[in-house]
Amino acid sequence: MSTPLESPDQGGLATLDRELEELIREENIEPGDHERFSHYVKKEKILESALTGKPVRALCGKKWTPGRDPEKFPVCPTCKEIYESLVG
């Protein structure tokens, strides 16, 4: 019979840590209008999300994992208003 240290892929603390991390990540992702709008997010955060799968936070505060073409949706009015106040 093998121990968890001999077979790390068959359970143990590493598996529990991965499962806990996934639950925390899912819990922090807000449902809502990210399905209907394109949001403003720093480019480096989009790239980081593409590489790691971590969610991003838009200017309006919406948190989600990007996965759709933003060109197909209208810009979030809250993001647009915040952006214009920052650059204006």
Side-chain angles (χ1 to χ4, degrees), residues 13-33:
L13 289 178
T15 300
L16 291 174
D17 286 344
R18 282 194 306 270
E19 290 175 2
L20 179 59
E21 200 172 330
E22 183 64 30
L23 284 172
I24 291 169
R25 187 176 20 243
E26 287 175 5
E27 184 177 306
N28 290 329
I29 298 174
E30 300 170 13
D33 69 356

